[in-house]
Amino acid sequence: MNNTKQSALSTDEVKNMLDQVDGWFVKMDKEISKEFQFADFKEALAFVNKVGEIAEKEGHHPNILLYDYSKVRVSLSTHSVGGLSEKDFEMAQKVEQN
Amino acid sequence: MNNTKQSALSTDEVKNMLDQVDGWFVKMDKEISKEFQFADFKEALAFVNKVGEIAEKEGHHPNILLYDYSKVRVSLSTHSVGGLSEKDFEMAQKVEQN
């Protein structure tokens, strides 16, 4: 996917792409997010840093919430298109793989 | 403050303690939070880690939201008292000092 699409995805496109990332939820076609559970705060923080590394590498920065001691919620959207782009799903996949 | 109070603070107590931490907001006497602005994602992430270190040291873990590329919101409450305790304000002060 070198030629990343830079327009907002349609509802159908979002549905199709959502099938390819396990456990991610979509909100109003504007954002995808997933909650990750860890053993403790330390592990959760390590995951935040891992996501941060991917974000810097990809030049695409999710919102990351570390909460309830051991949980992390990662939320993705593409500001420039006012919704979701392929880039969000690429990032979701990279987060899954790491 | 070795003898940390382990009961929820009253509205008046919260008001008094809030005066001692600059820029923190209280929500329904249940939580205090502050938003921090950084130059970029990297600096914001470094701050998340700094707060994480303090949290581990103090044994008191805020919710930490890294959002909009360069902002961090730190939110504190004390689950065991169902609201705010002195521990939250101690943590807020330590976050400010670091």
Side-chain angles (χ1 to χ4, degrees), chain B residues 4 51-61 87 90-91 94-95:
Chain B
T4 300
V51 174
E53 258 176 56
I54 300 169
E56 286 285 77
K57 206 169 159 188
E58 297 298 314
H60 193 51
H61 299 83
K87 192 80 192 159
E90 286 171 37
M91 267 296 294
K94 283 181 198 293
V95 168

Side-chain angles (χ1 to χ4, degrees), chain A residues 41-42 45 48-49 51-53 55-56 61-69 73, chain B residues 41-42 45 48-49 51-53 55-56 61-69 73:
Chain A
F41 184 82
K42 199 178 167 183
L45 185 56
V48 169
N49 281 290
V51 174
E53 258 177 56
E56 286 285 78
H61 300 83
N63 292 343
I64 312 171
L65 172 63
L66 170 46
Y67 68 110
D68 286 1
Y69 181 66
R73 182 185 299 141
Chain B
F41 184 82
K42 200 177 166 183
L45 185 56
V48 169
N49 281 290
V51 174
E53 258 176 56
E56 286 285 77
H61 299 83
N63 292 344
I64 312 171
L65 173 64
L66 171 45
Y67 69 111
D68 287 1
Y69 181 67
R73 182 185 299 140

Side-chain angles (χ1 to χ4, degrees), chain B residues 74-94:
Chain B
V74 178
S75 306
L76 283 156
S77 67
T78 302
H79 190 71
S80 61
V81 304
L84 287 164
S85 74
E86 285 185 8
K87 192 80 192 159
D88 298 308
F89 290 92
E90 286 171 37
M91 267 296 294
Q93 274 174 342
K94 283 181 198 293

